[in-house]
Amino acid sequence: MEGKSSPDLESIGSGATTKRSSVSSGSRSRIRRDFLARFTNSERFTDKLQDWFGLVCENDDKPVFEPPFELVELQKFDYALEGVSFQQLTRMPNAVYASTSTSVEANAYLAVEDFLHAAVKSLWEAFWSQEDEEAVPFSVGCLFSENLKFYQAEKALAVGKLDGLSATGVLLKNPRHPHGKWDHVLELALLRPEVGSFALEPSLPELGEALFYALRVLISRSVSRLDFSQSSNCVFILLVDLQYGGVVKVEGDVNKLDFDVNNVYDCAADWIKNHGKISVSPIDRIWNKLGNANWRDIGALQVVFATYHSIMQYFGPPRYSIEDLAADHSSRVHSRRQERQLGDSGLNENGMFRLQQRTMSPEIVEVHEESTKIEPEPSLKLEVGSVLWLEDSNYQKGYQINQVLTNGTLPYHIASPVDEAGKSVFLYVGSPPSQLEPAWEDMNLWYQVQRQTKILTTMKQRGLSSKYLPQLHGSGRIIHPGQCQKPSSGGRCDHPWCGTPILVTTPVGERVSDLVNEGRFGPEEAIRCCHDCLSALSSSSSAGIRHGDIRPENIVYVTSGVRHPYFVLIGWGHAVLEDRDRPAMNLHFSSTYALQEGKLCAASDAESLIYMLYFCFGDLPELDSVEGALQWRETSWSKRLIQQKLGDVSTILKAFSDYVDSLCGTPYPLDYGIWLRRLKRNLSDDHGKEIETSG
């Protein structure tokens, strides 16, 4: 091992002698490496954040920082990991002895190292590896604070380096650099005492240290010669003790940092205050009293999810997406029920068991289970002619069910308001909150009802008004039969329907998928559909909202009660409002950028619209993985198969597909105005005068 020294330039980012394409870029890299060479003391950096931290912590009633992951993301990830095996072999020592033995701290570093190794190994094999014998391209090591190099924990502890260890890192494996390079760091874990005592967020010393290391990684990546993804501007730092842990996510553009080598700590602190976005997860338990990791509990799950995103920054989207693996959940439940030879009488529609209530008896009695019948709770099945009442704010609305439909996976209804018998609305029923835990189907219902309600409410609040967007007609909770015994307006009673969310929207129309199946979607409808959806996207994007789930089932053709039929873009449950939102992942209709990065670029919705129109006039290819979907897109665009197919339908659609192709994956915005006008000119003259060109 090397002796004490300042951080060497090799570990910061070798390439000091590499020829750059220009003098300016070489000078920039040299300045940043010099900045890193001086940016070595986390305590001095933390001192510069005292005032800032005091200001952000003024509100004690809620968490200071937003969490990096939504609960629904973790639930979906949990389903995806059902078939993945994690095994931590080195146990975490018992916290009771943490303050009385130095060996406990040493063993804790070994346990953290083994935990991270187990996580990256299992994630790689489950999501990315193409061959069973493919080597895991990661190494795990402990950071020695005096020279900022990485060493295997056993070797560092064997030579008495325990006091100098400051973190454990997951790095890209590189035999040429056995002590690691900072631009090869995927994530870092800081082992600190009493992390579990942080109620809402870490204290400043721990948070400041996490921010210090995060900034070092981001700066190192900015001068790296590695080919990073566009999401490399964020880094995850884990905070753990002998029982608990959490995730700190730091993201931002380091190009906005003032690299003054004579004032490194002030400059770094200013970047955190003005340009850094910080997310902190709730602190939760990771290890049980025996030292085993609770892999499927939320504490370990959010740490493993951070590791998953860290791997994706370097290796791109996985071979098997989370949605691919999570989709097997329902089949696993069905297989388990078949193994146990279970009937359906004790299960609700989501595969959840209901509890059987028994009358208490002071005597011990023999129970014949085979003759016991479990009375199922009344399920929420709406039939044609039934009337449903919902509680909307301070008044009630009634809807009579006219049709019961499905979009291929989830049910929905066409209904009429009781006080407007001639009017039709779409009515969506969410999952009853009485379930013990959310099932995979319930998550889809959550997007369809609760999340879409939020998006449509946001549209209304932001003043969006377009006939090509769905309108919120009503939302609230169902009013169930019988007397409601809920304790307060925010609570719920014991009735299984109590609290079930309802969403009602207008207008009503036929799905494009049905038009295609019936042979009623021709060139005129395709051009009109493209225009109307583009107009809807223009309106929503003006308010910072992107759809993220464009497919034939989410576009309806409105013909009833209107002079000229038009299309409406529905299904806004997966819409993207902010950076942390994730669009739906669909192998046929998602944009290339969405499949690669899990995010939307400016032209992603338009690209999905092109795929939707393309498949309306052709067969769907067999796509069984993200990798295959990306390969199909690359081949189809490079050989101009999409443009040729749409050119057979209309020259304007071919031109629009060429335009979208030029924008795919770029940050450049779509020029909605020009294409709305061009599409309008290609529609029938008698319709053109009444077509809106913007929201």
Side-chain angles (χ1 to χ4, degrees), residues 69 73-74 77 300-310 322:
F69 312 120
E73 293 181 288
L74 295 174
F77 188 56
L301 198 63
Q302 61 190 5
V303 168
V304 175
F305 199 36
T307 305
Y308 169 87
H309 282 287
S310 299
I322 291 177

Side-chain angles (χ1 to χ4, degrees), residues 392-393 395 397 451-466 469-475 503-506 539-540 542-543 545 572 577:
D392 187 348
S393 300
Y395 58 94
K397 290 183 178 180
R451 183 91 199 307
Q452 186 168 201
T453 300
K454 174 185 176 182
I455 300 299
L456 297 183
T457 301
T458 301
M459 288 182 175
K460 188 175 182 180
Q461 293 171 344
R462 297 183 181 179
L464 294 187
S465 177
S466 170
L469 291 172
Q471 303 299 313
L472 187 63
H473 188 271
S475 65
L503 170 64
V504 185
T505 67
T506 57
S539 299
S540 65
S542 67
I545 302 174
W572 289 82
L577 288 174

Side-chain angles (χ1 to χ4, degrees), residues 464-469 471 527-539 564-568 672-673 675-681 683 687-695:
L464 294 187
S465 177
S466 170
K467 73 176 186 179
Y468 308 118
L469 291 172
Q471 303 299 313
I527 299 173
R528 182 171 300 282
C529 180
C530 185
H531 173 277
D532 295 353
C533 289
L534 206 60
S535 182
L537 295 175
S538 174
S539 299
H564 300 302
Y566 60 95
F567 291 87
V568 176
Y672 291 101
W675 286 100
L676 286 172
R677 289 192 293 271
R678 294 189 65 182
L679 288 164
K680 177 182 176 181
R681 287 197 296 267
L683 290 170
H687 292 182
K689 295 181 180 179
E690 298 205 8
I691 292 178
E692 298 178 13
T693 57
S694 66

Side-chain angles (χ1 to χ4, degrees), residues 269-287:
D270 287 341
W271 184 87
I272 291 292
K273 298 173 186 177
N274 300 316
H275 305 293
K277 181 180 179 181
I278 302 164
S279 307
V280 181
S281 75
I283 302 298
D284 218 308
R285 186 155 193 150
I286 296 179
W287 292 278

Side-chain angles (χ1 to χ4, degrees), residues 2-8 40 143-149 151 160-161 163-166 213:
E2 288 81 359
K4 298 179 180 179
S5 65
S6 61
D8 62 298
T40 58
L143 179 65
F144 191 55
S145 57
E146 292 191 17
N147 61 9
L148 294 180
K149 292 185 178 182
Y151 305 88
K161 297 290 187 181
D163 292 338
L165 298 182
S166 58
Y213 286 119

Side-chain angles (χ1 to χ4, degrees), residues 374-497:
I374 301 176
E375 292 296 332
E377 294 172 351
S379 59
L380 185 53
K381 289 185 178 180
L382 301 178
E383 299 178 349
V384 174
S386 61
V387 176
L388 178 147
W389 290 86
L390 72 86
E391 185 178 14
D392 187 348
S393 300
N394 296 321
Y395 58 94
Q396 299 178 355
K397 290 183 178 180
Y399 297 92
Q400 182 172 354
I401 305 302
N402 299 328
Q403 295 183 56
V404 180
L405 306 170
T406 176
N407 64 4
T409 57
L410 297 173
Y412 67 102
H413 311 80
I414 294 179
S416 296
V418 172
D419 55 355
E420 300 176 81
K423 183 172 184 151
S424 293
V425 297
F426 279 136
L427 187 145
Y428 307 92
V429 181
S431 179
S434 59
Q435 307 302 333
L436 297 179
E437 65 181 45
W440 175 245
E441 294 83 358
D442 293 341
M443 293 172 59
N444 290 330
L445 283 173
W446 181 86
Y447 278 111
Q448 185 186 56
V449 181
Q450 288 99 312
R451 183 91 199 307
Q452 186 168 201
T453 300
K454 174 185 176 182
I455 300 299
L456 297 183
T457 301
T458 301
M459 288 182 175
K460 188 175 182 180
Q461 293 171 344
R462 297 183 181 179
L464 294 187
S465 177
S466 170
K467 73 176 186 179
Y468 308 118
L469 291 172
Q471 303 299 313
L472 187 63
H473 188 271
S475 65
R477 305 293 177 180
I478 191 172
I479 300 175
H480 59 77
Q483 185 67 31
C484 184
Q485 302 294 333
K486 63 182 179 181
S488 64
S489 59
R492 54 177 302 274
C493 70
D494 294 332
H495 195 284
W497 297 4

